[in-house]
Amino acid sequence: MNVEFSPELEAFRREVAEFFATAPTPAIREAGRKTTSVFAPFDQCMAWHQILYEKGWAAPHWPKEYGGTGWSVEQRFIFAEEYRKADLPPLLPQSLGMVGPLLIDLGTEEQKAKYLPPILKGQDFWAQGYSEPGSGSDLASLSCRAEADGDDYIINGSKIWTTYAHHANRMFMLVRTSTEGKKQAGITFLLLDRMDYPGMEVRPIYGLDGFPEQCEVFFDNVRVPQSGRVGEENQGWSVAKHLLKHERGGGNAASPTLMRYLERARAAACETSSPFGGMLADDPVFQRDFGELEADVTSLSHLEKLAISGHEIARDPAFPSMNKTINSELVQRASVMMSKVSGVGGLARQLEALRVGSNVEPQGSEFDLITMPLYLNSRATTIYAGSNEVQRDLIARSLAAGA
Amino acid sequence: MDFSYSQEQVMLFDSVTRYLEKNYDFDSRKALVASDEPWSANVWAQFAELGLLALPFSEEHGGLGGSISDLVSFSRSFGKHLVIEPFAFAIMLSGAALAASANPRAAEWIEKLASGEAVAAFAYEEGNGTASPELIAMTAQENDAGFVLTGEKRIVIAGGDADVLVVAAKMCATGKVALFFVERSTEGLSTSPFTTIDGRSAANIRFDNVRVGSDAMLLDDASDALDRIIAQALIVLSAEALGAMHALLDITSEYAMTRKQFGQPIAMFQAIAHRLADMKIAYAKALSTLTYTTALANSGAVTARDIHVLKGQLGKLGREIGESAIQVHGGLGLTDELNVGHYHKRLLAYDAMFGDHDYHLRKLGQR
């Protein structure tokens, strides 16, 4: 057993750190510091995506022949660590992390040729049309209908929780094409190459943090070409399950972000008064709570490193669910810790100061500015990508199966 | 990075596990704990035979120069079988303290420990429940003939039966923590032996002006050595704890699949299913923390921070798993006949020793 990275990997780390120290514009850095969600501010995020593309680093997890880096898992982990240390805005996952890998695995040659290059370059942005008002984690119950008509489908219904659909120019979605048999049957996976089809309407939903991150998308007799189908008609469930593996397992390390949150919280606690006198960082209760959280984040980091090194734990069928449960709950706990450190300092509602490029000075520190939106937004982590209740059902099932 | 066990380590684990499965079933262990014997002399001799007792010592000391991952590999099996033999205390703590000394008499003791001829006990804890040497109150007053030791050591595992005690005391002259060895026959020792809740033989030992010769000193300033020795031993004890956690996860999930209430296996009830899922999540965290920390220690890179994470996490997670296991088993989980409560008690003892999880987590938050 050993934990060292090779000298080559350490040299790679320096190369990455060097690039991150010089390449991002001030606006991109500001967007990174003001990211209060999984999803970074859109415009700066896409600008940063394009800079990374120029460097050849936009899609480390893609195969090399499609424009990936050809990096090892260790290199990807180092990249993720340095990325977070530099407080850079994370690239949006829907295109690069979801539909891109899906098309690489299951798309036709035409689909790959048409869609992959603009994803890689940061020109296209895809929305994910899965959830519906009546179908959350029970995705199989979805009812948005698509009826075949010549070479087209005609879509009727609606989708909800489509992140950044108001910024998107394309969309991938699940539609019901049959009501026969099991509810998992009769679902089809579709790619929409525009968001402005007649009869299609995107309506942003304002979240608790005051920002429109999620959207509702309505379809009223929207006619789209059948050539956008991935896989066979009525076989969309297996396509979606394939994609969920990318969404839940991710291969994207969460611990570097969490470690960064903790560093920021600790630094802030050293400058925040305790209600018992002295500084918050010296308060025994704070220390105990902070230590507990830090230990858990450290354990997640260990788990992620075991997983990238090919340890058997990552081959447990419940691993993606365990990983999702652990990291989503830690994001919430870290956000609670951060908002506790801010205390009353986090109570000002300051949407304008949070906007990248804003000349409105924040009330309090930049840390105070982000803690409440981050806390409120992170209530979503245990709900999306299959609620944690559903994940726990899957984990328990793996125990019953003797895993 | 490589977190896998080598082929030799897998073989070591297999041979220890095979031996314990054959000779250390739950009922024989229970009879052993209830007997007058502090532990099984036969089992201890077998551990010597398997090379376990010589494993951590260097080749100059006549040992096998085993690595920390060698020790972790089979210690998981000790946890699964709730072994009461004092491996971590006699070999990892006392033996390592002797090995850290240049005193030639220490080398004689190591030879006896490694062959199983003698047993050593680590007299460290004074009731503070901490791993920190700063709180040691026992004193060592130097005089012409040697040293006079005064104070009380508590929960000394194997303390009632060991041939030699390794004792930590504060030097009156310098205020530094020193280590001594004290033979059992030394005058002035009063020992009250007992069995711990997890079945180990232990004793509280009073030292009333115990006089030892000047050649009884192992180290005159032992703080750094103690940190290192305790860190290594805590990794081994954590491996035992992980073995116990794994056993509880297995036993409890199997029970929940077979035990029926209201016409179906209780694992089908979401409240139970989610508790099982949380046990498995806790186990995954414990496993990865121990594995990573072991690899760090193997690379010589383990820090105080890593040990706080390890002991804090495994102490807390072990209790969570144990408490859930009892809850899922219902009333049955409270009976002495079932092994579940015994695993839980082993985990409670593990958590309490050398600083409980609150202590280690707060230390972590203090940086």
Side-chain angles (χ1 to χ4, degrees), chain A residues 1-4 266 287-288 291-292 294-296 298-299 302 305 309 316 389 392-393 396 398 400, chain B residues 1-3 257 270 273-274 278 280 285 289 292 298-299 305 313 316 358 361-362 364-367:
Chain A
M1 287 192 182
N2 67 75
V3 292
E4 290 99 354
R266 190 191 280 279
Q287 290 172 346
R288 167 61 180 73
E292 180 172 43
E294 185 177 337
D296 253 343
T298 307
S299 287
H302 295 162
K305 285 179 181 159
S309 79
D316 187 315
E389 286 73 19
R392 284 188 163 82
D393 282 344
S398 81
Chain B
M1 293 190 298
D2 176 13
F3 302 104
M257 284 309 295
Q270 202 170 51
H274 286 193
D278 284 334
K280 183 161 173 172
K285 287 182 190 175
T289 306
Y292 191 85
N298 244 14
S299 303
R305 177 185 183 276
Q313 278 293 67
K316 187 178 85 137
D358 284 319
L361 295 175
R362 187 176 161 208
L364 193 61
Q366 253 177 3
R367 274 181 319 125

Side-chain angles (χ1 to χ4, degrees), chain A residues 317-375:
Chain A
F319 179 77
S321 292
M322 291 200 289
N323 196 31
K324 195 267 168 174
T325 305
I326 293 171
N327 76 45
S328 58
E329 289 174 6
L330 280 174
V331 171
Q332 292 188 343
R333 283 170 52 199
S335 77
V336 169
M337 176 60 72
M338 290 168 86
S339 63
K340 273 187 181 171
V341 171
S342 283
V344 289
L347 292 183
R349 181 179 154 102
Q350 29 190 349
L351 301 182
E352 186 48 36
L354 259 168
R355 197 173 52 75
V356 178
S358 169
N359 51 17
V360 174
E361 283 289 309
Q363 304 288 329
S365 66
E366 201 174 64
F367 181 79
D368 292 336
L369 179 66
I370 63 164
T371 52
M372 187 57 75
L374 183 70
Y375 165 81

